[in-house]
Amino acid sequence: MSDSTRAILTAGTLVALAATAGSLYFSLGLGLTPCDLCWYQRILMYPLVVVLGAAAVEGRAGVWKTALPLSVGGVAMSGYHTYLQIAPGATCTIGGPCASIQYPMLGGLLTIPRLSLVAFTLVTLLVAGVVLTSGEGTDSWGV
């Protein structure tokens, strides 16, 4: 594995770790109760810390096969959650108060689901970078 692939995996691990620590701070530090969609996003993000971290240490570029479904699912889930918060009259089909904004930051520009969307998007781009820099899976993608 090249040094650039290992660096990309390390960066992905750090993004996932920051997102995990942030979600724990919001719930344990600030006492905010996560909605159902937040729980699903946590289910998709938390394993990425271990999966990407182990891959960075062991030098396994093939981790994209595990990490990409988790991160793309997280983009979809957090994208839907963000939509619920910006669409007037939108109601959550999953359950819970998912359309409410519990902790607005920067005058409401940043919300917890938007932070999650940024983190999942970064991880997805970084994992795609692993595929491109390592040559892993490019045959099956026709690249």
Side-chain angles (χ1 to χ4, degrees):
M1 173 193 289
S2 70
D3 288 337
S4 62
T5 301
R6 191 178 299 271
I8 293 170
L9 287 171
T10 301
T13 303
L14 293 175
V15 170
L17 184 62
T20 298
S23 73
L24 291 172
Y25 173 74
F26 286 130
S27 60
L28 300 175
L30 297 178
L32 302 175
T33 303
C35 69
D36 292 350
L37 284 175
C38 290
W39 280 115
Y40 293 130
Q41 290 166 69
R42 287 175 178 209
I43 289 167
L44 293 169
M45 182 61 76
Y46 288 12
L48 285 169
V49 175
V50 176
V51 168
L52 292 173
V57 170
E58 296 175 358
R60 288 185 292 114
V63 72
W64 69 270
K65 296 172 190 170
T66 303
L68 204 56
L70 291 170
S71 65
V72 169
V75 168
M77 189 71 63
S78 58
Y80 174 65
H81 199 173
T82 298
Y83 163 76
L84 288 175
Q85 289 188 337
I86 61 174
T91 57
C92 182
T93 59
I94 306 294
C98 299
S100 67
I101 297 176
Q102 290 188 12
Y103 194 76
M105 295 157 271
L106 295 176
L109 178 65
L110 283 180
T111 63
I112 296 171
R114 289 181 192 159
L115 290 173
S116 179
L117 180 59
V118 168
F120 277 118
T121 300
L122 284 173
V123 169
T124 300
L125 292 173
L126 289 166
V127 170
V130 167
V131 174
L132 296 175
T133 60
S134 70
E136 278 279 331
T138 54
D139 293 337
S140 62
W141 287 11
V143 176

